[in-house]
Every structure is written in structure tokens, then in C-alpha cells.
Amino acid sequence: MDALATTPELIPARMLNEYVYCPRLFYLEYVQREWATNLDVLQGRYVHRRVDQAAGRVPRAEAVTAEVAIHARSVEIGSEELGAVAVIDVLESDDGQLVPVDYKKGSAPDLPEGAWEPERIQVCLQGLLLRANGYVSNYGVIYYVGDKTRVRVEFTPALVTRTKQLLADARALAVAGSLPPPLVNSNKCPRCSLVGICLPDELNHVQQVTGSRPTAETAHGSDKAGSVAPDVAPARREIRRLFPARDDNKAVYVQGQGYTLGLRGATLEIRDKGQAVDAVRLFEVSQLNIFGNVQLSAQALRALASQEIPILHLSYGGWLQAVTAPPPHKNIELRCRQFQAAADPAFCLKLAKALVGGKIRNSRLLLRRNGRRLPPEALSQLVALRDLVERGTSLAELLGVEGSAAREYFRYFSTMFKLPPDDAPPFDFTGRNRRPPKDPINALLSFGYSLLVKEMVVAVLGVGFDPYLGFYHQPRYGRPALALDLMEEFRPLVADSVVITVINNGEIGPDDFLQRGEAVALLPRARKVFIEAFERRLDQLVTHPVFGYQVSYRRVFEIQARLLARTLTGEIPRYIPFVTR
């Protein structure tokens, strides 16, 4: 695919700066349109808060003389001939020539050249764009706001040649449509805003232990190896965790029927009959979950969308019914790979084996850790079924094995509950049932899986996938098949674990359920308690079994979705399920 066909033809000077810093960063931002903010990005926006406001006039080239004084801000200039465009922070005149001034946060580096190469290349390209439009421009200035230093950059023949060559290289990379490999143990990575998307150290580790750097052609399609995602050895030393362990923003849940949500300044206000009952600042919200009949004002909707905060509409019982989100992720390249891979039966089977195998391993682990008076055959049977997964030859066969494993797992599920003094189980649970759940434990399990689905929908949307096209779960109207695929390995670790926790801790008891015919549902208090326990679980730090660092489960969801994306783009040979040890 011609990646440049999906991108503007003119390469921004700022993107050339990124290319010189790291070609992979350039590709992620310019071609795949990935974007993220970190402290450096926010500080950069702050120092540009004035120069980003357009002001001042710039006369035509023939009108610029030594007597004309020019001082303009945020001047856009482009050239078809150069194939580049730039927004110059400040444009000044000096004896008949124009001088681009580029603002940078921080202090001037102690270098013979006075500035880092990416910055000199960027300002040089701005000068070349001025020349291409008929102006005279022989030097530029980089203004470091931190120490208020102006560094003069002469547009020497060597710098001009270097700039033009790098511009051509960047264009060739964009046209090639191939994501460059990540930097290896680079000091550039910790300050890169896209490091949580790039995952440089993680990918380098997986590529090292698997012994190859696969291509897009070998990632799926005619993979002759057909291996079943065997264990990937954990890193001997902890891999650098270059992004926050957990998301500081919080998921907001609103389940009061008849409540309304409105905007008061930069605060999302929750109201009952016009009276505010709670409020949260918008910048602290990661997602908004509304259950049943909750109204949302148009102003609040626009504010949430502008900050790319997804809104998940759930039924009163917790079923995901709709998602209101900003326009789809711009990484069309990834969705093309997703559709291509989903049409490949061999790839779907290989991935499904990894997902189902991971689920069975984690189910066995939960039973082994928490089961009481567990018969030996309970665990051995799950091991046998896990081995059957690796010998499966079709998705239908895998569905059968997964069903058998689930029956074995839930047969002993009640052994993980604490027993009362009289040895009687606190709840009558004999196996999984749903739609509707017929006992309290199944009501809790169904609610937990519903919450897990919506978390996975948020994760795959954020990475750029189509949540409705899966590989193991086949497409069906209204079913988020990819979210269901990725949640398999987390069912026992998250949803089932929360059910066990709220029962064993006595947070939810037999009186917290409503029986209507054969159906059992949670009462509002129990639902609130369960959501709080679910959020505690997602916020809990867990050691990643392969990378060795600690991250929250919610962050793990994103990592796993990104590993799947890297599998589709051919950067790693196979998807690695999250299996705790």
C-alpha cells in the first residue's frame, strides 16, 4: 500500500525534525497519525502559546528591502517544488532578508553547533521554503525559552544539502509504507511522547528471544511454522518501563436513573432533578460509562468528544449498547492489516490458539491459587485441554475445547469461595448459565464480563482497530468480536477474580440480588460495590510476565492490544498472550 497516498503530499518541517530524531517516530506521527501528549509536549505548547497566534504582515518577496521591518507570528509557507510546508513561529527581517525564528523549550545545548541537529534541520527547511517563495534567507534563529538564548544557524551549503537529503529520505520512507524498527536502548526513548505506542524495548526483547525480525508477509498468511505462541522467556533484567504504570485519569460511572450530565466550566456535573450530586473535572476523566436512562447535554457531549473521552452507553443491567467516540483513529494502515489478516484462516487459527491457550492457563492458575479441597484431576484436566488447543486444526474445534475447559473450570469454581462455619457454600453455584443468569454468582459473572468487554472496546479503539472484526470470534451484527477475542485471557484474572473477591470479603451478600422468575439481577448497591471492586482490580499493579515491570491491568489491556497490532504489521512473529506465572 502506498502509505503516502493516505497522507498530505507536503511534509511539515516539524515532521522532518521528528524524522531526524527518530525515523520510527516520524512514521508513527506522519503516516499512521499516532499522537500522544507527555510533559514535554505540554511544555512545548505552553512556550508556543503566544507565537501560535497569527499576527503581523509579510509583504511579497519583491517588496522586502533593507528599509522594511517585518515581525510576524505563526506564518505558514509551503512549496510544491520542495514538497514541504512549515508554520514559522516568528518571522523577522534583517537587512532585506527574512529570518525564521523557531521557539524551543528548554535551554541551549552545549554543542559546537549551538543546537541539536533535528532543530537545525527544521529551521534550515524553513529558510529553504522562504527561498523557494522568492525571499532571501541566509540564516535562521533557534530561540531557547528556558535560558532566553538565541542561537544563529547559518544556512551553509553543507546544511542545505543535508536538509534536502533528509527530506528526500523521509519522503521515501513514507512512500515505502514500512514502519522502521525501534531504536535499541536509546536515551531518546524515555522523553518521546509516543513511547507507550512504540514500545521500543518490549519489541526489541520479543524480537531478540524469537530470533528474527519478521516481515508483514510472514506475520500472517502462509506461516509455515504455525506455532502456537509458546512461552516467550521473560527478560533476564527488567525492561525499562518508559510510560506511566497506571492511567491517572479515572473511569466515571453514572447509574442513577433520571440523572443528567451537564457542563459547568471545565467540570462535568452530575445532577439529579437539577441539583448537582457530584462533579469531576474533565481532564481527570478517561471514559464515561452511563447506565440506562441518563441524559447527557450537547455541551457536555462536545466537550467530551473534543478531549477524545469515549462515552459508553450500557443498559441498566450492564450490556454495552453503544459507544460515542470521536472520529475513528486515523491509522487506516492498521485497519487494512486487520481486515487482511481476518480473511486469512491460518492466521486466525494461530491467534485463536494463543488466546484460548492463555485463557485456560490463567483459569488453571486461579484455581490452583484459590481452590480449596481441589481434587488433583481438576488441574490435570485443564492441562490436557490446553495441550489439545495446541493440536487444534480449526476454529470450530477450538470452540469445543474452550467449552470443555470452561465446564471443568466452573465445576470447581465454588471451591474458591470461603466456606461458612457449617461448610455450606454461601451461594448455590453449580455451573455457568446466562441470558438471564439464574443465580447470584452467574449474575456477578455476567456483569463482570460486560464491564470487561467495554474496557476492551476502549482499548482496541484507542489503538486504532475496528472492534467489530475479530479473529477467533467471527463477525456478527452488533458483536464487538475483537474485544471478545482479547478479553479471553483476562476473564479469569479480572472478572472472575473480582467475583471471588467481593464474595469472600463479604462486600456482596445474598441480600444484594433481585429474583424475578428464573432471572437474578444485582440491586443498585451491589452493582456500585462491584464496579468499585472492578476498578480496584484494573488499577492494581501486576508484574508483566514477559517484560518484568509492573503496570496496572488497564494499562496491560492497551499493551496487549498494541502487541496484537505489532503482530499484524509484522514487527513480532506472533501474539503473546498475557499469562501470569
Side-chain angles (χ1 to χ4, degrees):
M1 182 180 65
D2 184 353
L4 197 60
T6 63
T7 63
E9 294 182 354
L10 303 182
I11 295 179
R14 186 175 60 83
M15 286 294 107
L16 187 60
N17 179 319
E18 308 289 38
Y19 175 79
V20 181
Y21 187 82
C22 170
R24 183 178 174 88
L25 173 62
F26 163 79
Y27 195 92
L28 287 170
E29 287 193 347
Y30 181 62
V31 177
Q32 297 192 345
R33 301 306 165 107
E34 297 281 6
W35 190 253
T37 57
N38 64 359
L39 181 60
D40 287 331
V41 172
L42 294 176
Q43 289 176 338
R45 287 178 184 169
Y46 182 75
V47 302
H48 281 81
R49 65 193 185 285
R50 177 172 169 80
V51 296
D52 280 349
Q53 299 176 11
R57 293 185 177 183
V58 181
R60 291 184 175 278
E62 56 273 18
V64 178
T65 64
E67 291 71 31
V68 175
I70 298 173
H71 186 91
R73 298 197 303 261
S74 191
V75 179
E76 184 174 11
I77 189 166
S79 167
E80 296 285 347
E81 182 181 354
L82 278 177
V85 65
V87 178
I88 300 174
D89 291 337
V90 174
L91 195 58
E92 300 173 346
S93 58
D94 179 14
D95 196 22
Q97 66 171 315
L98 293 187
V99 180
V101 181
D102 199 55
Y103 275 48
K104 299 296 180 188
K105 68 177 185 64
S107 303
D110 183 16
L111 296 172
E113 300 85 354
W116 301 105
E117 186 187 32
E119 298 164 349
R120 290 186 286 112
I121 294 294
Q122 181 180 354
V123 77
C124 181
L125 181 55
Q126 294 174 356
L128 294 180
L129 287 168
L130 289 169
R131 291 182 183 180
N133 283 270
Y135 297 98
V136 176
S137 183
N138 295 321
Y139 74 94
V141 170
I142 300 174
Y143 178 61
Y144 290 95
V145 178
D147 55 2
K148 300 180 179 178
T149 300
R150 288 170 65 98
V151 174
R152 177 168 169 146
V153 178
E154 299 289 345
F155 300 153
T156 63
L159 182 61
V160 169
T161 302
R162 172 79 173 154
T163 301
K164 289 182 176 178
Q165 182 59 53
L166 289 169
L167 184 62
D169 293 346
R171 176 169 295 278
L173 175 60
V175 173
S178 179
L179 181 62
L183 301 178
V184 178
N185 200 27
S186 172
N187 290 331
K188 295 179 179 178
C189 295
R191 301 192 67 174
C192 176
S193 63
L194 295 194
V195 69
I197 297 172
C198 175
L199 299 177
D201 287 17
E202 291 83 349
L203 295 187
N204 284 322
H205 170 69
V206 173
Q207 290 168 356
Q208 182 181 5
V209 297
T210 54
S212 65
R213 186 183 298 280
T215 66
E217 287 69 31
T218 58
H220 53 79
S222 56
D223 183 358
K224 303 302 183 185
S227 58
V228 190
D231 286 338
V232 173
R236 291 184 179 179
R237 60 175 177 81
E238 181 177 312
I239 288 178
R240 295 182 301 173
R241 180 176 55 73
L242 301 175
F243 47 85
R246 50 166 61 97
D247 189 353
D248 291 335
N249 294 342
K250 302 299 181 186
V252 174
Y253 295 81
V254 183
Q255 59 171 338
Q257 298 305 285
Y259 279 16
T260 60
L261 280 78
L263 204 61
R264 181 179 292 277
T267 300
L268 186 66
E269 197 170 74
I270 304 169
R271 304 165 184 149
D272 182 18
K273 297 177 182 177
Q275 300 298 316
V277 296
D278 207 344
V280 58
R281 290 178 290 187
L282 273 176
F283 72 85
E284 294 178 333
V285 180
S286 64
Q287 59 177 256
L288 174 64
N289 303 271
I290 52 181
F291 291 77
N293 298 318
V294 176
Q295 306 293 321
L296 184 66
S297 74
Q299 293 84 351
L301 178 61
R302 281 199 301 271
L304 290 163
S306 68
Q307 300 200 26
E308 300 187 351
I309 299 171
I311 306 168
L312 299 118
H313 307 262
L314 301 106
S315 69
Y316 186 68
W319 287 99
L320 181 63
Q321 294 182 319
V323 179
T324 304
H329 198 290
K330 296 175 182 175
N331 190 352
I332 185 61
E333 201 174 66
L334 176 60
R335 286 197 288 281
C336 289
R337 300 281 190 188
Q338 180 186 0
F339 277 72
Q340 180 185 358
D344 181 347
F347 178 83
C348 291
L349 179 61
K350 179 180 174 182
L351 178 59
K353 288 181 179 180
L355 297 170
V356 175
K359 176 185 177 182
I360 294 176
R361 286 167 183 251
N362 287 333
S363 299
R364 180 180 180 277
L365 176 78
L366 200 67
L367 274 179
R368 182 168 60 83
R369 284 184 178 176
N370 301 290
R372 296 175 176 82
R373 303 174 186 175
L374 199 63
E377 63 271 20
L379 299 180
S380 60
Q381 184 64 15
L382 287 176
V383 172
L385 289 165
R386 187 194 65 199
D387 293 340
L388 270 182
V389 169
E390 299 182 3
R391 297 196 295 271
T393 58
S394 68
L395 292 181
E397 192 176 334
L398 283 186
L399 283 170
V401 176
E402 183 200 357
S404 298
R407 280 192 295 275
E408 288 298 314
Y409 170 66
F410 284 116
R411 177 184 298 176
Y412 304 104
F413 192 76
S414 59
T415 66
M416 293 188 279
F417 296 129
K418 291 180 180 177
L419 297 180
D422 58 358
D423 284 352
F427 293 98
D428 182 22
F429 178 82
T430 56
R432 184 81 177 103
N433 59 65
R434 60 198 181 106
R435 295 185 179 180
K438 298 178 176 58
D439 57 76
I441 298 300
N442 274 295
L444 290 172
L445 288 170
S446 293
F447 190 59
Y449 296 148
S450 297
L451 296 180
L452 193 53
V453 168
K454 64 96 178 169
E455 286 297 328
M456 286 301 172
V457 168
V458 171
V460 299
L461 281 174
V463 171
F465 283 113
D466 183 336
Y468 292 95
L469 183 62
F471 302 96
Y472 177 44
H473 293 84
Q474 295 303 295
R476 195 172 71 191
Y477 181 80
R479 181 167 74 169
L482 183 59
L484 294 171
D485 281 357
L486 284 178
M487 71 177 274
E488 290 293 357
E489 62 210 61
F490 295 104
R491 285 177 183 262
L493 296 179
V494 176
D496 298 353
S497 177
V498 172
V499 172
I500 295 166
T501 298
V502 297
I503 295 298
N504 286 348
N505 289 347
E507 296 177 81
I508 293 178
D511 296 335
D512 285 314
F513 298 89
L514 175 66
Q515 179 91 40
R516 301 184 66 183
E518 290 191 348
V520 173
L522 283 78
L523 292 171
R525 191 204 76 87
R527 189 167 22 235
K528 181 179 179 182
V529 169
F530 191 91
I531 289 172
E532 290 172 350
F534 184 78
E535 283 297 317
R536 286 200 306 270
R537 184 63 172 170
L538 294 191
D539 200 45
Q540 182 177 337
L541 295 182
V542 58
T543 301
H544 196 286
V546 177
F547 305 135
Y549 51 57
Q550 286 202 319
V551 286
S552 70
Y553 270 107
R554 183 168 267 137
R555 190 69 81 183
V556 168
F557 295 166
E558 180 187 343
I559 292 173
Q560 294 303 111
R562 295 203 181 280
L563 289 180
L564 176 59
R566 299 306 175 212
T567 306
L568 297 183
T569 55
E571 289 190 85
I572 56 176
R574 57 180 178 270
Y575 173 76
I576 305 165
F578 185 89
V579 179
T580 57
R581 299 178 186 275

